Amino acid sequence: MSGDEHISSDDPGLDPYEINFLPQFRTGRGPRTPFVNSSGIVIGDHQYESEDSPLTNWTEETDPAIMAGDEWIHPYKDIGFLTSENRDYFEKGIMPKEGLFMHADKNSAYGAGDDA
């Protein structure tokens, strides 16, 4: 599925990865244009195969923390904003439901440590 299905009713001036943020979510977000992070990688240009990106050069020795933090996510142009949960929150102000990924009827720790 391409991102185009998600933007059919949106402002045509938006980037394909942008959504119509409510006013309270626009203030202090950061730049709308692509930027270069501290690792020298351009964020927000949708060129995910950057030659110097740790993701492109991943090995067993790569520490995943190298790509953690806000400097790896564009404040307006991130594919994650297109999920229904994020659109509900950022465009409509609908808080996410608690326990969305929980299995209240499953005890995944049952028996843990029994053989310790």
Side-chain angles (χ1 to χ4, degrees):
M1 172 183 345
S2 73
D4 295 342
E5 297 90 30
H6 296 285
I7 62 169
S8 60
S9 64
D10 289 337
D11 178 348
L14 293 175
D15 179 284
Y17 292 95
E18 283 187 83
I19 59 175
N20 287 312
F21 287 94
L22 290 171
Q24 66 263 34
F25 297 118
R26 291 185 202 137
T27 306
R29 288 199 73 79
R32 287 190 97 84
T33 58
F35 63 90
V36 178
N37 69 12
S38 65
S39 295
I41 307 302
V42 178
I43 304 296
D45 64 352
H46 312 307
Q47 301 299 316
Y48 298 109
E49 293 296 321
S50 174
E51 199 173 296
D52 299 323
S53 170
L55 191 57
T56 304
N57 298 293
W58 204 268
T59 69
E60 287 185 18
E61 288 78 39
T62 304
D63 181 357
I66 190 84
M67 292 186 69
D70 292 341
E71 69 173 345
W72 291 95
I73 301 170
H74 196 279
Y76 288 95
K77 303 174 185 190
D78 188 81
I79 195 167
F81 289 129
L82 298 180
T83 65
S84 59
E85 294 86 2
N86 279 334
R87 290 190 72 128
D88 282 349
Y89 180 65
F90 290 112
E91 292 183 321
K92 301 173 187 169
I94 300 171
M95 293 295 292
K97 294 178 183 170
E98 289 186 30
L100 185 64
F101 299 107
M102 301 174 90
H103 299 284
D105 63 332
K106 309 284 188 284
N107 181 354
S108 60
Y110 179 78
D114 284 351
D115 56 342

